[in-house]
Amino acid sequence: MGRKLIRTACSSARDGTVPRLVLCAPNTPKRPGNLNRLYTLALLYLKNAARQAGWECDLVDAYFNGLPRQETVARILARGAPRLLGFCLHSPSMLEEALGIIQILERQLGRKVPVVVGGHYATHQARELLEAHDRIHYVIEGEGEGALRALLIALGEGHIRHSIPGLRWREENGQICGDQPRSLATDLDGLGNIDFDWIDEDIGPADWSLVASRGCSGRCSFCAVGPLWGASGRWRGHSPEWFVARVEELVRNHRATRIIVVDDNFLGGPAPDERAAAIADLMRRKEIHVPFSVMVRADTVCAYPQAFGELQEVGLHHVLLGLESGDDAILAKLNKGATRRQGEEATAILDRLGITVTAGTIIFHPWMTRESIRTDLEFLKRLMEKNLRCYFLGLNELDILSGTPIASGYAGNTWRREWKAADPAVQEIYDRWRLIQGAVLFPAMRLAPPEASLGRRRAYAFWQLESLGLALEGGATMAREDLFSATQASMCKFLLAQADRETLERFLEIGTSPRKMVDRIDAHERCFL
């Protein structure tokens, strides 16, 4: 960015006052069936980095609090205009919202405020963001704490004197500077103890979340986790002591009755069983027993079933398994590193332990065929019939995101690469499923949320299997309007059984035609992320 803006950002450092940064997670629409109200943990880590650089830092989590733009701006300006404004950008919709917030802010202040952005989307679109948007002045790529700390120190000194690893910026003449990657932190505990106090007033006892690690030991070709952290297959963990100390803090000081651990892979590294045993032992010794949920790989569950038994004894009650498919050929194309049999075995192990399982799915992809869809439907149906604590939230499509290994096979430089099935008839099945989602399933989920009970979640899952089966077997012989009518009638029976007559009547009052409804299916609703 221009030197004039840099000096404006840091003028207060020279007059004896402490410069202030505001970090914001922009609000974007949440998918139907969202079971968790999650605050943005990245903000808590970045706040520590700002403090270490000698800056004050305020947080505005518009996503967590569901804030509209004007209210977001009001909170940003609650203590006056910040010297620097930062945004977490994980998707194009978050960028759009951030730009709208900046525009309102500039209009109210009558001047520009320097802006830094980071996150999944910003990492893979860094140069494009700086070239296309003059309201963005700095982009942090990948892990953010070190680069943000270095940027704030440089701004405190008046300007950037040399390249900062992990940071790109634009000079006054428009030149994009900085392309040096930053080494990942080797000691996550050294990033500091995150401060939960700022959200205490806004959260219920069952809505606390925490992170214990970064990255994943898997190398799935479609996953953006590896590229964000610098390398696929690399996993780093907080120490068991750090993690359990944060759990204890949430339980003792904030009265947490449930904790959602949002790691991409809770048990990675060379010895997952030893890590699980250490965490369970510490929780027992501290006499902490709190329900918590994690994400893990199916092959980890199969290799270390005793680890999950130990964790279940101290509170593990729910696991998200990224099973994706019941077709081994598709799993190989996705480079899952796991098989259908391992998915079945892992689900059975967890079910026997009394642990609820959410199965992650990827049904729709460029290689899908009628047979692959049938295989996945049969796989998921048998999985739920055999394991009464198992369900899935949605029948998802493959998102091919920039920077992932699989994206290299698809043209373009957009964040999400478009694809179609090789067989037009199979693509038509997917298009019909999107109609069912937008016109029938999502409106029902908004009226009768699946989080009401495990029974309702499973009922929604079985309904989806039945409805996709109808779209699959009906093929070209059933008109779209007839498919809409059949699935709408089926959903009416579902709502009457799972909710009440008032909910059914509200569903019928929506009265939206399938043609109008399918045009309103936003990108964020295309799958259950």
Side-chain angles (χ1 to χ4, degrees):
M1 77 182 278
R3 297 293 172 83
K4 183 178 179 181
L5 279 175
I6 291 175
R7 292 196 178 105
T8 300
C10 300
S11 59
S12 62
R14 294 193 296 276
D15 62 20
T17 61
V18 178
R20 187 169 62 91
L21 164 69
V22 173
L23 293 172
C24 176
N27 186 27
T28 56
K30 299 172 181 61
R31 60 166 172 74
N34 189 335
L35 303 185
N36 301 316
R37 183 173 175 239
L38 297 175
Y39 45 86
T40 307
L41 274 161
L43 296 180
L44 278 67
Y45 281 90
L46 294 170
K47 184 173 184 176
N48 266 349
R51 287 171 170 172
Q52 291 167 2
W55 285 54
E56 290 186 357
C57 184
D58 294 334
L59 306 180
V60 178
D61 198 339
Y63 178 82
F64 171 64
N65 289 300
L67 303 179
R69 290 180 186 177
Q70 195 64 55
E71 175 61 20
T72 301
V73 171
R75 296 201 184 190
I76 290 171
L77 297 177
R79 293 208 296 141
R83 299 300 181 179
L84 182 66
L85 177 60
F87 289 97
C88 292
L89 302 182
H90 299 310
S91 66
S93 60
M94 294 186 86
L95 169 65
E96 180 182 355
E97 186 68 12
L99 293 173
I101 291 167
I102 296 168
Q103 187 175 33
I104 296 172
L105 189 71
E106 289 179 349
R107 192 161 55 239
Q108 291 189 203
L109 293 176
R111 62 177 176 84
K112 288 188 175 183
V113 172
V115 171
V116 58
V117 301
H120 283 269
Y121 181 65
T123 291
H124 297 299
Q125 301 292 122
R127 174 171 284 275
E128 292 82 357
L129 287 174
L130 290 169
E131 290 175 343
H133 304 287
D134 62 2
R135 288 187 165 98
I136 295 174
H137 310 104
Y138 309 96
V139 179
I140 291 175
E141 299 176 277
E143 191 166 75
E145 293 89 352
L148 178 64
R149 187 186 310 111
L151 170 63
L152 297 180
I153 291 172
L155 295 182
E157 295 172 348
H159 58 84
I160 299 175
R161 301 179 188 276
H162 50 74
S163 181
I164 294 174
L167 179 75
R168 291 181 189 255
W169 74 97
R170 186 178 53 249
E171 289 284 4
E172 277 184 335
N173 61 7
Q175 179 183 1
I176 308 301
C177 300
D179 59 0
Q180 184 180 350
R182 173 171 288 276
S183 298
L184 299 178
T186 56
D187 177 17
L188 295 186
D189 292 6
L191 298 175
N193 295 335
I194 53 183
D195 178 9
F196 297 102
D197 288 344
W198 72 282
I199 49 177
D200 209 358
E201 296 178 358
D202 301 313
I203 193 164
D207 293 327
W208 290 99
S209 59
L210 188 57
V211 66
S213 66
R214 294 181 179 182
C216 180
S217 51
R219 298 178 181 271
C220 301
S221 62
F222 60 90
C223 185
V225 171
L228 176 72
W229 300 122
S232 294
R234 182 167 180 181
W235 179 94
R236 295 164 295 148
H238 278 292
S239 68
E241 291 78 11
W242 186 97
F243 173 70
V244 174
R246 303 288 78 72
V247 171
E248 183 176 25
E249 179 184 356
L250 290 178
V251 172
R252 310 277 194 233
N253 299 347
H254 301 278
R255 300 183 179 181
T257 59
R258 183 184 70 158
I259 297 173
I260 305 157
V261 184
V262 297
D263 301 22
D264 296 292
N265 183 11
F266 181 67
L267 290 181
D273 54 339
E274 294 178 13
R275 180 174 176 82
I279 289 171
D281 181 61
L282 283 168
M283 290 182 68
R284 278 192 293 266
R285 283 196 278 139
K286 290 176 176 288
E287 297 183 343
I288 300 169
H289 188 287
V290 59
F292 65 98
S293 60
V294 301
M295 291 186 275
V296 296
R297 290 176 53 85
D299 55 339
T300 304
V301 179
C302 294
Y304 305 103
Q306 73 282 3
F308 293 88
E310 291 196 60
L311 292 172
Q312 189 275 338
E313 291 177 2
V314 295
L316 177 61
H317 76 109
H318 175 259
V319 163
L320 172 60
L321 282 178
L323 301 182
E324 321 312 356
S325 176
D327 186 324
D328 282 333
I330 300 302
L331 293 174
K333 284 184 175 291
L334 298 175
N335 200 35
K336 276 299 297 182
T339 64
R340 170 180 175 138
R341 182 175 179 179
Q342 286 176 309
E344 293 170 334
E345 182 183 346
T347 303
I349 289 169
L350 295 170
D351 189 73
R352 286 196 298 270
L353 290 170
I355 298 172
T356 302
V357 175
T358 300
T361 69
I362 299 178
I363 308 297
F364 307 105
H365 42 74
W367 323 287
M368 63 186 177
T369 62
R370 286 181 177 274
E371 187 56 38
S372 75
I373 295 174
R374 286 193 189 97
T375 297
D376 284 336
L377 293 180
E378 176 267 335
F379 168 66
L380 290 169
K381 183 178 180 181
R382 287 189 61 194
L383 207 64
M384 291 198 300
E385 288 175 344
K386 289 185 174 182
N387 304 283
L388 300 183
R389 295 176 180 84
C390 175
Y391 66 96
F392 62 87
L393 288 173
L395 298 172
N396 299 334
E397 73 162 23
L398 175 67
D399 278 329
I400 300 177
L401 302 180
S402 175
T404 59
I406 202 172
S408 62
Y410 294 82
N413 61 355
T414 57
W415 167 242
R416 179 185 277 117
R417 309 291 167 84
E418 296 299 321
W419 58 263
K420 285 186 178 294
D423 184 346
V426 179
Q427 180 65 33
E428 171 64 14
I429 294 168
Y430 171 56
D431 291 341
R432 290 179 174 220
W433 175 247
R434 289 190 63 203
L435 183 149
I436 294 170
Q437 279 187 318
V440 181
L441 178 63
F442 289 164
M445 280 185 161
R446 292 189 182 98
L447 294 172
E451 63 261 34
S453 66
L454 173 61
R456 182 179 289 181
R457 287 173 230 163
R458 283 171 53 83
Y460 267 121
F462 278 117
W463 185 91
Q464 290 178 74
L465 295 178
E466 178 184 343
S467 298
L468 177 56
L470 182 64
L472 175 68
E473 303 307 336
T477 62
M478 178 181 286
R480 285 194 174 195
E481 290 74 12
D482 293 336
L483 178 63
F484 169 75
S485 297
T487 53
Q488 188 183 49
S490 173
M491 181 56 75
C492 288
K493 295 179 181 178
F494 176 95
L495 292 175
L496 195 58
Q498 290 293 324
D500 51 37
R501 182 169 293 279
E502 181 182 352
T503 302
L504 171 60
E505 291 173 353
R506 289 168 62 198
F507 175 74
L508 292 172
E509 285 172 2
I510 296 173
T512 307
S513 73
R515 184 173 299 277
K516 289 181 180 179
M517 198 65 196
V518 78
D519 291 337
R520 294 177 55 195
I521 302 176
D522 299 323
H524 73 275
E525 291 186 341
R526 282 164 53 187
C527 66
F528 292 72
L529 295 175

